[in-house]
Short mmCIF file of all heavy atoms in Angstrom, two decimals:
data_model
loop_
_atom_site.label_atom_id
_atom_site.label_comp_id
_atom_site.label_asym_id
_atom_site.label_seq_id
_atom_site.Cartn_x
_atom_site.Cartn_y
_atom_site.Cartn_z
N PRO A 709 8.33 20.49 12.56
CA PRO A 709 8.04 20.93 13.92
C PRO A 709 8.89 20.28 15.01
O PRO A 709 8.92 20.76 16.13
CB PRO A 709 6.56 20.58 14.10
CG PRO A 709 6.30 19.51 13.10
CD PRO A 709 7.19 19.80 11.95
N GLU A 710 9.61 19.21 14.66
CA GLU A 710 10.54 18.64 15.64
C GLU A 710 11.80 19.49 15.77
O GLU A 710 12.54 19.34 16.73
CB GLU A 710 10.90 17.20 15.23
CG GLU A 710 9.73 16.24 15.35
CD GLU A 710 9.91 15.02 14.48
OE1 GLU A 710 10.30 15.18 13.30
OE2 GLU A 710 9.65 13.90 14.96
N GLY A 711 12.04 20.34 14.78
CA GLY A 711 13.18 21.26 14.84
C GLY A 711 14.46 20.69 14.29
O GLY A 711 15.31 21.43 13.79
N THR A 712 14.64 19.39 14.36
CA THR A 712 15.84 18.74 13.85
C THR A 712 15.51 17.30 13.51
O THR A 712 14.42 16.81 13.84
CB THR A 712 16.98 18.80 14.88
OG1 THR A 712 18.19 18.31 14.31
CG2 THR A 712 16.64 17.96 16.11
N ARG A 713 16.42 16.59 12.87
CA ARG A 713 16.14 15.20 12.51
C ARG A 713 16.10 14.31 13.75
O ARG A 713 16.85 14.50 14.69
CB ARG A 713 17.20 14.67 11.54
CG ARG A 713 17.16 15.34 10.17
CD ARG A 713 18.04 14.59 9.18
NE ARG A 713 18.10 15.30 7.92
CZ ARG A 713 19.10 16.06 7.54
NH1 ARG A 713 20.15 16.21 8.32
NH2 ARG A 713 19.09 16.68 6.38
N THR A 714 15.21 13.34 13.69
CA THR A 714 15.08 12.38 14.79
C THR A 714 15.16 10.96 14.23
O THR A 714 14.92 10.73 13.04
CB THR A 714 13.74 12.54 15.51
OG1 THR A 714 12.68 12.31 14.58
CG2 THR A 714 13.59 13.94 16.10
N LYS A 715 15.49 10.01 15.08
CA LYS A 715 15.48 8.60 14.68
C LYS A 715 14.04 8.13 14.54
O LYS A 715 13.14 8.66 15.21
CB LYS A 715 16.23 7.77 15.72
CG LYS A 715 17.70 8.11 15.82
CD LYS A 715 18.38 7.27 16.89
CE LYS A 715 19.86 7.63 17.00
NZ LYS A 715 20.55 6.84 18.05
N PRO A 716 13.79 7.14 13.68
CA PRO A 716 12.41 6.69 13.47
C PRO A 716 11.69 6.26 14.75
O PRO A 716 10.47 6.38 14.84
CB PRO A 716 12.58 5.49 12.51
CG PRO A 716 13.85 5.78 11.77
CD PRO A 716 14.74 6.45 12.77
N THR A 717 12.43 5.75 15.70
CA THR A 717 11.81 5.29 16.95
C THR A 717 11.74 6.37 18.02
O THR A 717 11.19 6.15 19.09
CB THR A 717 12.59 4.09 17.51
OG1 THR A 717 13.97 4.47 17.68
CG2 THR A 717 12.53 2.90 16.56
N GLU A 718 12.29 7.55 17.73
CA GLU A 718 12.36 8.63 18.71
C GLU A 718 11.10 9.50 18.65
O GLU A 718 10.60 9.81 17.57
CB GLU A 718 13.59 9.48 18.43
CG GLU A 718 13.84 10.59 19.43
CD GLU A 718 15.09 11.39 19.10
OE1 GLU A 718 15.79 11.04 18.13
OE2 GLU A 718 15.35 12.38 19.81
N VAL A 719 10.60 9.87 19.80
CA VAL A 719 9.45 10.75 19.89
C VAL A 719 9.90 12.09 20.46
O VAL A 719 10.45 12.15 21.56
CB VAL A 719 8.33 10.16 20.77
CG1 VAL A 719 7.18 11.15 20.90
CG2 VAL A 719 7.84 8.84 20.20
N LYS A 720 9.71 13.14 19.69
CA LYS A 720 10.14 14.47 20.13
C LYS A 720 8.96 15.43 20.05
O LYS A 720 8.13 15.35 19.15
CB LYS A 720 11.29 14.97 19.24
CG LYS A 720 11.96 16.22 19.74
CD LYS A 720 13.21 16.54 18.92
CE LYS A 720 13.90 17.78 19.45
NZ LYS A 720 15.10 18.12 18.67
N GLU A 721 8.91 16.34 20.99
CA GLU A 721 7.80 17.30 21.04
C GLU A 721 7.79 18.19 19.80
O GLU A 721 8.83 18.63 19.32
CB GLU A 721 7.93 18.15 22.30
CG GLU A 721 6.79 19.12 22.51
CD GLU A 721 6.93 19.94 23.78
OE1 GLU A 721 7.91 19.70 24.52
OE2 GLU A 721 6.10 20.82 24.02
N PHE A 722 6.60 18.46 19.28
CA PHE A 722 6.44 19.39 18.16
C PHE A 722 6.33 20.81 18.69
O PHE A 722 5.58 21.07 19.63
CB PHE A 722 5.16 19.07 17.37
CG PHE A 722 5.18 17.75 16.65
CD1 PHE A 722 4.00 17.08 16.37
CD2 PHE A 722 6.37 17.18 16.23
CE1 PHE A 722 3.99 15.88 15.70
CE2 PHE A 722 6.38 15.98 15.55
CZ PHE A 722 5.20 15.32 15.28
N ASN A 723 7.09 21.73 18.07
CA ASN A 723 6.94 23.13 18.47
C ASN A 723 5.73 23.75 17.77
O ASN A 723 5.18 23.19 16.83
CB ASN A 723 8.22 23.92 18.18
CG ASN A 723 8.54 24.02 16.71
OD1 ASN A 723 7.73 24.49 15.92
ND2 ASN A 723 9.74 23.58 16.32
N LYS A 724 5.32 24.93 18.25
CA LYS A 724 4.09 25.55 17.78
C LYS A 724 4.29 26.55 16.65
O LYS A 724 3.36 27.25 16.26
CB LYS A 724 3.37 26.24 18.95
CG LYS A 724 2.86 25.27 20.01
CD LYS A 724 2.06 26.01 21.08
CE LYS A 724 1.50 25.03 22.11
NZ LYS A 724 0.71 25.73 23.17
N GLY A 725 5.50 26.62 16.10
CA GLY A 725 5.78 27.59 15.06
C GLY A 725 4.86 27.47 13.84
O GLY A 725 4.39 28.48 13.30
N ALA A 726 4.59 26.25 13.41
CA ALA A 726 3.74 26.05 12.23
C ALA A 726 2.32 26.54 12.49
O ALA A 726 1.72 27.22 11.65
CB ALA A 726 3.72 24.57 11.85
N ALA A 727 1.79 26.22 13.66
CA ALA A 727 0.43 26.65 14.00
C ALA A 727 0.35 28.16 14.15
O ALA A 727 -0.63 28.80 13.76
CB ALA A 727 -0.04 25.96 15.28
N MET A 728 1.39 28.76 14.72
CA MET A 728 1.42 30.21 14.87
C MET A 728 1.40 30.91 13.52
O MET A 728 0.68 31.87 13.31
CB MET A 728 2.65 30.63 15.68
CG MET A 728 2.61 30.22 17.14
SD MET A 728 4.11 30.70 18.04
CE MET A 728 3.95 32.48 18.01
N LEU A 729 2.22 30.40 12.59
CA LEU A 729 2.26 31.00 11.26
C LEU A 729 0.93 30.82 10.53
O LEU A 729 0.42 31.74 9.91
CB LEU A 729 3.40 30.39 10.44
CG LEU A 729 3.51 30.85 8.99
CD1 LEU A 729 3.70 32.37 8.90
CD2 LEU A 729 4.67 30.14 8.28
N ALA A 730 0.36 29.62 10.62
CA ALA A 730 -0.89 29.34 9.91
C ALA A 730 -2.04 30.20 10.42
O ALA A 730 -2.81 30.75 9.62
CB ALA A 730 -1.25 27.86 10.05
N THR A 731 -2.15 30.36 11.74
CA THR A 731 -3.24 31.18 12.28
C THR A 731 -3.02 32.65 11.97
O THR A 731 -3.96 33.38 11.67
CB THR A 731 -3.38 30.98 13.80
OG1 THR A 731 -2.10 31.18 14.43
CG2 THR A 731 -3.87 29.58 14.13
N SER A 732 -1.77 33.09 12.03
CA SER A 732 -1.47 34.49 11.75
C SER A 732 -1.72 34.85 10.29
O SER A 732 -2.23 35.92 9.98
CB SER A 732 -0.02 34.79 12.13
OG SER A 732 0.32 36.13 11.84
N ALA A 733 -1.36 33.93 9.39
CA ALA A 733 -1.51 34.19 7.95
C ALA A 733 -2.87 33.72 7.42
O ALA A 733 -3.18 33.93 6.25
CB ALA A 733 -0.40 33.48 7.18
N ASN A 734 -3.66 33.07 8.29
CA ASN A 734 -4.98 32.57 7.92
C ASN A 734 -4.91 31.60 6.73
O ASN A 734 -5.66 31.71 5.75
CB ASN A 734 -5.94 33.71 7.61
CG ASN A 734 -7.40 33.25 7.59
OD1 ASN A 734 -7.75 32.29 8.26
ND2 ASN A 734 -8.23 33.94 6.81
N VAL A 735 -3.97 30.66 6.82
CA VAL A 735 -3.85 29.61 5.82
C VAL A 735 -3.92 28.26 6.53
O VAL A 735 -3.66 28.17 7.73
CB VAL A 735 -2.54 29.71 5.02
CG1 VAL A 735 -2.45 31.04 4.29
CG2 VAL A 735 -1.33 29.51 5.93
N PRO A 736 -4.26 27.19 5.82
CA PRO A 736 -4.36 25.89 6.48
C PRO A 736 -3.00 25.22 6.66
O PRO A 736 -2.00 25.61 6.05
CB PRO A 736 -5.22 25.07 5.50
CG PRO A 736 -4.95 25.68 4.17
CD PRO A 736 -4.73 27.15 4.42
N ILE A 737 -2.99 24.22 7.50
CA ILE A 737 -1.84 23.34 7.67
C ILE A 737 -2.08 22.08 6.85
O ILE A 737 -3.18 21.52 6.85
CB ILE A 737 -1.63 22.98 9.15
CG1 ILE A 737 -0.95 24.14 9.89
CG2 ILE A 737 -0.79 21.71 9.30
CD1 ILE A 737 -0.72 23.88 11.37
N LEU A 738 -1.07 21.64 6.13
CA LEU A 738 -1.12 20.36 5.43
C LEU A 738 -0.11 19.43 6.10
O LEU A 738 1.10 19.61 5.95
CB LEU A 738 -0.79 20.53 3.95
CG LEU A 738 -0.85 19.24 3.11
CD1 LEU A 738 -2.27 18.68 3.09
CD2 LEU A 738 -0.37 19.49 1.69
N PRO A 739 -0.57 18.43 6.87
CA PRO A 739 0.35 17.56 7.60
C PRO A 739 0.81 16.36 6.77
O PRO A 739 0.05 15.81 5.97
CB PRO A 739 -0.49 17.12 8.80
CG PRO A 739 -1.89 17.07 8.25
CD PRO A 739 -1.97 18.17 7.21
N VAL A 740 2.06 15.97 6.98
CA VAL A 740 2.65 14.84 6.27
C VAL A 740 3.46 14.01 7.26
O VAL A 740 4.15 14.56 8.13
CB VAL A 740 3.59 15.33 5.14
CG1 VAL A 740 4.33 14.18 4.50
CG2 VAL A 740 2.81 16.11 4.08
N VAL A 741 3.39 12.69 7.12
CA VAL A 741 4.24 11.80 7.92
C VAL A 741 4.87 10.75 7.01
O VAL A 741 4.34 10.45 5.93
CB VAL A 741 3.47 11.11 9.07
CG1 VAL A 741 2.91 12.14 10.04
CG2 VAL A 741 2.36 10.23 8.53
N HIS A 742 5.98 10.19 7.44
CA HIS A 742 6.69 9.19 6.63
C HIS A 742 7.62 8.38 7.54
O HIS A 742 7.83 8.73 8.71
CB HIS A 742 7.52 9.90 5.55
CG HIS A 742 8.56 10.78 6.13
ND1 HIS A 742 9.83 10.34 6.46
CD2 HIS A 742 8.53 12.09 6.52
CE1 HIS A 742 10.52 11.32 7.01
NE2 HIS A 742 9.74 12.40 7.06
N ASN A 743 8.20 7.35 6.97
CA ASN A 743 9.17 6.52 7.71
C ASN A 743 10.49 6.40 6.96
O ASN A 743 11.15 5.34 6.97
CB ASN A 743 8.59 5.14 7.99
CG ASN A 743 8.27 4.36 6.71
OD1 ASN A 743 8.23 4.94 5.61
ND2 ASN A 743 8.03 3.06 6.83
N ALA A 744 10.92 7.47 6.30
CA ALA A 744 12.11 7.44 5.45
C ALA A 744 13.40 7.17 6.22
O ALA A 744 14.40 6.75 5.63
CB ALA A 744 12.25 8.77 4.69
N GLY A 745 13.40 7.39 7.52
CA GLY A 745 14.61 7.21 8.31
C GLY A 745 15.13 5.79 8.34
O GLY A 745 16.30 5.56 8.64
N TYR A 746 14.28 4.82 8.02
CA TYR A 746 14.73 3.43 7.99
C TYR A 746 15.57 3.15 6.74
O TYR A 746 16.59 2.46 6.81
CB TYR A 746 13.54 2.48 8.04
CG TYR A 746 12.83 2.44 9.37
CD1 TYR A 746 11.58 3.04 9.51
CD2 TYR A 746 13.39 1.81 10.47
CE1 TYR A 746 10.91 3.02 10.73
CE2 TYR A 746 12.73 1.78 11.69
CZ TYR A 746 11.49 2.39 11.82
OH TYR A 746 10.84 2.36 13.03
N ALA A 747 15.12 3.65 5.58
CA ALA A 747 15.82 3.39 4.32
C ALA A 747 16.96 4.37 4.07
O ALA A 747 17.99 4.01 3.49
CB ALA A 747 14.83 3.43 3.16
N TRP A 748 16.78 5.62 4.50
CA TRP A 748 17.81 6.66 4.33
C TRP A 748 18.08 7.24 5.71
O TRP A 748 17.61 8.33 6.04
CB TRP A 748 17.33 7.72 3.35
CG TRP A 748 18.34 8.76 2.97
CD1 TRP A 748 19.39 9.21 3.72
CD2 TRP A 748 18.39 9.52 1.75
NE1 TRP A 748 20.08 10.19 3.06
CE2 TRP A 748 19.50 10.39 1.84
CE3 TRP A 748 17.60 9.54 0.61
CZ2 TRP A 748 19.82 11.28 0.82
CZ3 TRP A 748 17.93 10.43 -0.41
CH2 TRP A 748 19.03 11.28 -0.32
N PRO A 749 18.84 6.54 6.53
CA PRO A 749 19.10 7.01 7.90
C PRO A 749 19.87 8.32 7.90
O PRO A 749 20.74 8.55 7.05
CB PRO A 749 19.93 5.89 8.53
CG PRO A 749 19.73 4.70 7.63
CD PRO A 749 19.50 5.25 6.27
N SER A 750 19.56 9.17 8.85
CA SER A 750 20.26 10.45 8.97
C SER A 750 21.73 10.21 9.32
O SER A 750 22.06 9.34 10.13
CB SER A 750 19.60 11.29 10.07
OG SER A 750 20.30 12.49 10.28
N LYS A 751 22.59 10.96 8.65
CA LYS A 751 24.03 10.92 8.91
C LYS A 751 24.64 9.53 8.69
O LYS A 751 25.61 9.15 9.35
CB LYS A 751 24.35 11.42 10.33
CG LYS A 751 23.91 12.84 10.59
CD LYS A 751 24.22 13.26 12.02
CE LYS A 751 23.74 14.68 12.29
NZ LYS A 751 24.00 15.12 13.68
N SER A 752 24.05 8.77 7.78
CA SER A 752 24.57 7.44 7.48
C SER A 752 24.87 7.33 5.99
O SER A 752 24.05 7.70 5.16
CB SER A 752 23.54 6.37 7.88
OG SER A 752 23.96 5.08 7.45
N PHE A 753 26.05 6.82 5.68
CA PHE A 753 26.41 6.61 4.27
C PHE A 753 25.58 5.49 3.67
O PHE A 753 25.16 5.57 2.51
CB PHE A 753 27.90 6.26 4.18
CG PHE A 753 28.34 5.84 2.81
CD1 PHE A 753 28.64 6.77 1.84
CD2 PHE A 753 28.46 4.49 2.49
CE1 PHE A 753 29.05 6.39 0.57
CE2 PHE A 753 28.86 4.08 1.23
CZ PHE A 753 29.16 5.04 0.27
#
């Protein structure tokens, strides 16, 4: 829902696409969070 990768310390607004799809299709949302950006940073070798 952030639309693109963010840094672990960055806070970005979530878009409503997931909620729109879930309500339209009448299925639940399964939310997941993680902190993988510290060990595998985006765009970093």
Side-chain angles (χ1 to χ4, degrees):
E710 292 158 315
T712 187
R713 293 191 185 101
T714 60
K715 295 179 181 179
T717 56
E718 184 180 356
V719 177
K720 190 172 182 180
E721 184 179 357
F722 293 154
N723 65 56
K724 294 185 178 181
M728 291 178 68
L729 176 59
T731 52
S732 178
N734 196 28
V735 300
I737 282 179
L738 181 64
V740 174
V741 298
H742 62 88
N743 62 346
Y746 289 107
W748 186 332
S750 176
K751 300 179 182 179
S752 173
F753 172 82

